[in-house]
Amino acid sequence: MNLFTTNTKEIFPQPMPGIVEEAIATNKPGRVNFKTTYWPAILFEENSISLAPGQEITVVGRIGITLLISPL
């Protein structure tokens, strides 16, 4: 089993802060800065919002190497 390609959703026990690096919208993945590294990211819950670069977010989990995020 390859840990980097799994589609299993993992929710973190404690949400952690991050910052949007590349715009993210409901149907558009983007990129965030999390723990001093850049990661692909998507919105955790489907809602009609857009997150702009520089905006603070909360990282709530991951699917493979893609982080699941929510706005602060």
Side-chain angles (χ1 to χ4, degrees):
M1 179 171 155
N2 186 338
L3 295 175
F4 297 110
T5 59
T6 182
N7 288 333
T8 304
K9 184 185 294 184
E10 176 187 351
I11 303 301
F12 298 153
Q14 181 175 359
M16 295 172 264
I19 297 177
V20 176
E21 174 68 19
E22 182 181 286
I24 301 169
T26 303
N27 294 317
K28 181 184 172 288
R31 187 173 62 194
V32 297
N33 186 325
F34 174 67
K35 292 191 172 189
T36 69
T37 304
Y38 296 98
W39 297 88
I42 59 174
L43 290 170
F44 175 58
E45 296 178 340
E46 299 261 342
N47 46 27
S48 56
I49 62 168
S50 295
L51 301 172
Q55 195 167 350
E56 294 181 355
I57 50 93
T58 301
V59 178
V60 296
R62 70 183 181 93
I63 299 175
I65 63 166
T66 301
L67 298 180
L68 303 171
I69 64 162
S70 291
L72 270 181

